[in-house]
């Protein structure tokens, strides 16, 4: 049997797709490139923006055009939120919501037997009519089901030889006013530390040197097991064979001084932090329900710098998420964000997102929506700032000693790799150095 995969969205989705792939490979299914004809296609969708939903639908249509007889499996956040609508699409065989992901591999493997009996002629199922939520929107399913789920699908990525994304947490309880994720991925929950250290051991056994911890609200680890995030970090830090650890993203209020001091005390966790700010205006942070203000945010950045930086030491790489054009974001409030980043935080990189009005969220109902043209102009101003800040960050690291982990992919005779503080380097490809750490002067 031939199967092809495509994934949209976050590192969590990639870790889950990679886990499904391992299940099919173990059953001797052949994984073929997305553009090739296959018996089964799996689309791992995203619903974080309207554009992501559109891309998800287009991928389903493309698979059906490539192989009209094939069966299409749809999963991911969009599948959780718009299950019935997706089940109506041509070629779609099954749509798996957030609580059903563990059934994808076993149920699809049974498909093989069924297709043999049908002499290879698939019969996609069809259902009659969407379910209304009484406000003219097709949302009934996701407001209830998703918020109740308890199960956590264990997942880690293994496509790359050098780095792996390990899922340590899923879901979120915060319900920020602009965000659909809690509806798509359910309540905050996690696997036990013992399971995660075992998985990290499995990853190390494949020769992978670096693991990136991923989740929806990673720092909220421990909700369903009563364990602490810091204890997870300490346990993982002891796993043999993993040279470097990174945290893919962590809420500012959850990277506590205790965690910072421990990371800075000579562990394998790297000087690289991805922290969502979203806005530099306390008015907007309060309005959308974020759980910190700019003072707390700045104090955590300063604490990390004090603990991890110093003469001759690499600067810490801060990647900061910002949403522009949140409802009510006047030019004045945007300026607050701009100056907070340019003067106070001075990160190495900004991940800039235009606010996307998501049906079913509180912010979507708010009157003071910002025109798309204004959002686009503000995105451009922050991206220009990000370029300046990144150039300054590279300058500030000149002459500093760091270690780069060389990857095995070669382009134009060059190999690439990241330093601990997330600077991308290139050098003439040398297969002897693939997947090894090398000391360099920046
Ligand atoms: S913390 Fe807020 S923005 Fe992040 S996933 Fe949870 S609800 Fe969404």
């Amino acid at each position: 049997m031939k199967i092809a995969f495509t994934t949209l969205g976050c590192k969590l989705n990639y870790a889950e797709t990679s886990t499904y792939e391992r299940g099919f490979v173990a059953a001797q299914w052949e994984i073929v490139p997305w553009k090739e004809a296959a018996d089964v296609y799996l689309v791992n969708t995203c619903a974080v923006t309207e554009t992501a939903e559109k891309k998800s639908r287009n991928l389903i249509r493309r698979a059906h055009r490539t192989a009209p007889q094939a069966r299409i499996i749809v999963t991911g956040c969009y599948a959780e939120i718009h299950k019935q609508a997706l089940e109506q699409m041509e070629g779609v065989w099954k749509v798996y919501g957030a609580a059903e992901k563990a059934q994808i591999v076993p149920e699809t493997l049974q498909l093989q037997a069924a297709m043999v009996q049908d002499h290879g002629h698939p019969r996609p199922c069809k259902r009659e009519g969407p379910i209304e939520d009484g406000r003219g929107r097709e949302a009934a399913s996701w407001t209830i089901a998703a918020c109740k789920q308890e199960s956590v699908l264990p997942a880690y990525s293994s496509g790359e030889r050098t780095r792996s994304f390990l899922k340590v947490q899923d879901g979120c309880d915060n319900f920020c006013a602009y965000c659909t994720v809690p509806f798509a991925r359910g309540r905050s929950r996690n696997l036990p530390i013992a399971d995660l250290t075992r998985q990290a051991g499995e990853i190390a056994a494949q020769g992978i040197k670096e693991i990136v911890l991923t989740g929806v609200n990673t720092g909220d680890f421990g909700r369903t097991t009563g364990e602490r995030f810091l204890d997870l970090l300490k346990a993982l830090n002891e796993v043999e064979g993993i040279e470097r650890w990174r945290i893919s993203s962590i809420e500012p209020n959850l990277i506590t001084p205790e965690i910072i001091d421990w990371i800075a005390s000579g562990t394998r966790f790297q000087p690289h932090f991805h922290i969502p700010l979203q806005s530099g205006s306390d008015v907007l942070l309060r309005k959308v329900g974020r759980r910190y203000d700019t003072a707390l945010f700045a104090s955590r950045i300063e604490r990390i710098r004090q603990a991890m930086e110093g003469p001759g030491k690499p600067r810490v790489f801060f990647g900061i998420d910002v949403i522009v054009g949140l409802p009510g974001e006047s030019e004045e409030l945007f300026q607050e964000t701009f100056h907070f980043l340019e003067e106070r935080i001075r990160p190495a990189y900004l991940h800039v997102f235009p606010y996307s009005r998501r049906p079913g969220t509180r912010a979507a109902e708010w009157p003071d929506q910002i025109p798309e043209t204004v959002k686009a102009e503000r995105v451009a101003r922050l991206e220009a700032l990000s370029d300046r800040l990144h150039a300054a960050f590279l300058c500030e690291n000149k002459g500093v000693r760091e270690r780069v982990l060389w990857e095995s992919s070669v382009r134009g005779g060059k190999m690439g790799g990241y330093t601990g503080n997330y600077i991308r380097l290139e050098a003439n490809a040398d297969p002897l150095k693939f997947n090894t750490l090398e000391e360099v002067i920046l």
Side-chain angles (χ1 to χ4, degrees):
M1 291 287 276
K2 291 183 175 180
I3 184 165
F5 298 84
T6 191
T7 306
L8 291 174
C10 61
K11 294 185 176 95
L12 211 46
N13 260 13
Y14 284 89
E16 289 170 351
T17 298
S18 183
T19 302
Y20 305 140
E21 286 181 3
R22 283 196 299 278
F24 288 107
V25 169
Q28 275 80 48
W29 282 40
E30 182 193 350
I31 297 185
V32 297
W34 175 251
K35 290 195 173 71
E36 277 185 28
D39 301 296
V40 175
Y41 292 90
L42 187 146
V43 183
N44 199 347
T45 65
C46 174
V48 80
T49 62
E50 213 167 321
T51 311
E53 292 187 351
K54 203 159 155 224
K55 281 186 184 160
S56 302
R57 293 194 297 275
N58 290 344
L59 286 166
I60 294 166
R61 291 195 193 96
R62 197 178 309 159
H64 185 58
R65 277 199 305 277
T66 308
Q69 292 305 332
R71 295 188 179 187
I72 302 172
I73 297 168
V74 184
T75 189
C77 294
Y78 189 33
E80 175 62 39
I81 294 180
H82 286 291
K83 189 166 183 156
Q84 275 90 22
L86 289 166
E87 282 170 341
Q88 301 307 310
M89 291 185 71
E90 282 300 303
V92 172
W93 172 64
K94 279 251 173 133
V95 179
Y96 288 90
E100 302 157 324
K101 292 175 180 175
Q103 293 148 25
I104 292 176
V105 175
E107 283 191 4
T108 312
L109 292 182
Q110 282 157 13
L111 179 63
Q112 185 169 11
M115 283 182 90
V116 170
Q117 270 162 13
D118 289 352
H119 307 301
H121 299 304
R123 279 170 299 164
C125 61
K126 287 267 174 258
R127 285 205 192 161
E128 301 311 315
I131 297 178
E132 292 296 325
D133 71 347
R135 287 185 289 170
R137 270 197 311 265
E138 180 221 311
S141 64
W142 57 278
T143 53
I144 300 160
C147 298
K148 283 210 181 91
Q149 61 200 298
E150 303 305 327
S151 64
V152 185
L153 178 84
Y156 63 81
S157 68
S158 52
E160 256 193 77
R161 265 186 62 196
T162 311
R163 168 175 311 107
S164 171
F165 298 115
L166 173 62
K167 172 182 173 177
V168 298
Q169 184 271 352
D170 203 345
C172 185
D173 297 345
N174 289 5
F175 294 92
C176 299
Y178 52 81
C179 185
T180 51
V181 177
F183 302 114
R185 283 203 166 256
R187 305 311 291 265
S188 182
R189 55 204 191 282
N190 60 279
L191 291 163
I193 292 179
D195 288 17
L196 294 167
T197 47
R198 185 177 39 72
Q199 285 180 45
E202 275 175 31
I203 296 169
Q206 295 166 35
I208 290 173
K209 296 266 181 359
E210 180 171 302
I211 292 182
V212 182
L213 304 185
T214 189
V216 169
N217 191 347
T218 310
D220 199 38
F221 173 90
R223 284 259 166 216
T224 44
T225 57
E227 297 164 310
R228 297 191 316 149
F229 186 54
L230 179 53
D231 295 329
L232 169 68
L233 302 184
K234 288 181 175 175
L236 292 174
N237 193 53
E238 300 308 312
V239 172
E240 284 303 311
I242 302 300
E243 300 283 341
R244 307 203 303 191
W245 292 90
R246 299 181 194 272
I247 303 170
S248 68
S249 176
I250 185 165
E251 293 290 307
N253 52 308
L254 297 177
I255 184 148
T256 61
E258 192 191 6
I259 291 174
I260 293 169
D261 294 348
W262 177 80
I263 288 178
S265 67
T267 71
R268 297 179 193 165
F269 282 80
Q270 301 302 301
H272 170 203
F273 296 90
H274 183 163
I275 306 179
L277 170 69
Q278 310 309 20
S279 174
S281 147
D282 287 336
V283 171
L284 287 176
L285 289 177
R286 237 185 337 274
K287 185 178 179 185
V288 297
R290 299 293 286 162
R291 300 179 176 219
Y292 54 87
D293 59 12
T294 53
L296 181 143
F297 190 93
S299 72
R300 295 291 151 90
I301 301 289
E302 278 142 26
R303 175 97 186 206
I304 293 170
R305 285 193 167 129
Q306 275 157 17
M308 297 185 84
E309 293 184 349
K313 281 186 165 182
R315 298 286 319 273
V316 174
F317 186 107
F318 290 104
I320 308 290
D321 290 347
V322 192
I323 300 175
V324 298
L326 285 165
E329 186 189 61
S330 61
E331 174 57 25
E332 190 202 348
L333 294 183
F334 173 73
Q335 288 283 351
E336 272 187 47
T337 298
F338 194 98
H339 293 302
F340 180 67
L341 290 164
E342 184 179 41
E343 291 146 22
R344 189 86 185 272
I345 303 301
R346 297 195 60 70
Y349 186 79
L350 299 175
H351 303 265
V352 187
F353 306 92
Y355 165 67
S356 179
R357 194 175 185 173
R358 309 302 302 131
T361 61
R362 287 177 289 127
E365 310 296 332
W366 292 345
D368 40 6
Q369 302 287 332
I370 307 296
E372 294 304 319
T373 49
V374 175
K375 288 182 201 170
E377 187 259 340
R378 289 177 183 169
V379 166
R381 285 154 72 185
L382 275 182
E383 285 181 344
L385 172 62
S386 180
D387 293 346
R388 290 204 303 279
L389 290 168
H390 195 249
F393 176 77
L394 295 179
C395 248
E396 289 152 10
N397 279 284
K398 274 259 169 299
V400 163
R401 205 175 282 281
E402 244 288 11
R403 294 198 307 164
V404 58
L405 178 56
W406 293 117
E407 294 155 9
S408 52
S409 50
V410 176
R411 276 193 204 86
K414 298 277 184 191
M415 63 181 180
Y418 284 99
T419 63
N421 67 342
Y422 213 55
I423 293 176
R424 182 85 185 159
L425 300 179
E426 279 202 343
N428 293 335
D430 176 354
L432 294 176
K433 291 187 178 176
F434 289 169
N435 201 25
T436 68
L437 281 157
E438 182 182 19
E439 192 155 284
V440 292
I441 304 288
L442 295 173

